[in-house]
Amino acid sequence: MPSVLLYHFPPSAPSRFALMTMRTLGIDVEIKNLNLLQKEQFNEEFLKINPQHCVPTIDDDGFYLWDSHAIATYLVGKYGQDSGLYSEDLKERAKVDSMLYFEATVLFARLRALCVPFIFGSASSVPEDLKLNVKDAFNTLNTLLNGKTWLVGERLTVADIANAAAVSNAVVVGYNLSQHPNVDPWYKRCQTSIKGFEENLKGADDFVALIKKNYSAPLFP
Ligand SMILES: N[C@@H](CCC(=O)N[C@@H](CS)C(=O)NCC(=O)O)C(=O)O
C-alpha cells in the first residue's frame, strides 16, 4: 500500500481524528506538520493544494482532500471496506453521517468557540453560555449512547473516532466526563479500541498547553 501524506497539526482534534482513522485502518501515513500558530497553512504551496487552508488535508497519490469527515469516509472506502468503520448499509451509514455532522457542527464547534479565544489570548474568563452549550452537547451524546456500546450499530465506526477526538480536547481542559454516565465508559472503550489513541492524547496535551500559555486555570473547574 503506498503511503498517504497527511498535513497535520497535533493540537487539532479534526486532524487527530483523521490520523486515528489512518492508524486504525493500518494505512502507511507520512505526516507533514503545519504549525497553525505560525500560520504555516498560508504558505503558497499548501494554498495551491487547499485554498481553504485547513488541516487535516491528505494527499493520496495526487488526490487532495480536506475536512476530516470526508477524509475518514474516503479512506475507509478506499483502504478499509472490510473494517466496518463506515457501514455499507444505507440507513446505518446515514446514522454514522449524522454523528459525524454532530461532531462537526455541535460538539467540536462548541468546544472550539469556548477554547480558541484562550489560545489567541483574547479571552480572560469563560462565558457561562458557552459552557452551557458544551454541557448541552455532552448531554445529547450521553442520551445517544444510552444502552449502547458504540454510537452507531454494534461496532466502532468513524463516528466514534471523530467524537472521541473532540472529547479528548474537552477532557484536557477540565471537562468532567463522570457527570455523563454513558459517555465516560464509551470514551474508555474508545481509548482501548482506536489505534493511535496515545498519540491522540499527546496532541490533546499540546492543545491544552497552547491555552495554558495565556490562561492557567481549567476552563471547566
Ligand atoms: N470541519 C473541518 C474543520 C477543520 C478545522 O477547523 N481545522 C482548523 C484546525 S482545528 C484549521 O486548520 N484552522 C486553520 C485555518 O482554517 O486557517 C474538519 O473536520 O476537518
Side-chain angles (χ1 to χ4, degrees), residues 9 11-15 17 36 41-42 52-56 66-69 71 103-104 108 112:
F9 182 54
S12 156
S15 209
F17 160 39
L36 301 186
Q41 75 274 33
F42 293 105
Q52 200 185 319
H53 50 78
C54 57
V55 295
W66 57 91
D67 190 282
S68 56
H69 313 85
I71 291 170
E103 187 273 341
F108 171 69
R112 181 172 56 186

Side-chain angles (χ1 to χ4, degrees), residues 151-187:
L151 278 168
V152 182
E154 299 299 316
R155 58 182 187 280
L156 177 86
T157 67
V158 288
D160 298 291
I161 305 178
N163 282 279
V167 170
S168 302
N169 277 9
V171 170
V172 290
V173 298
Y175 192 83
N176 180 9
L177 281 193
S178 65
Q179 60 190 312
H180 303 292
N182 302 321
V183 176
D184 199 23
W186 162 83
Y187 184 63

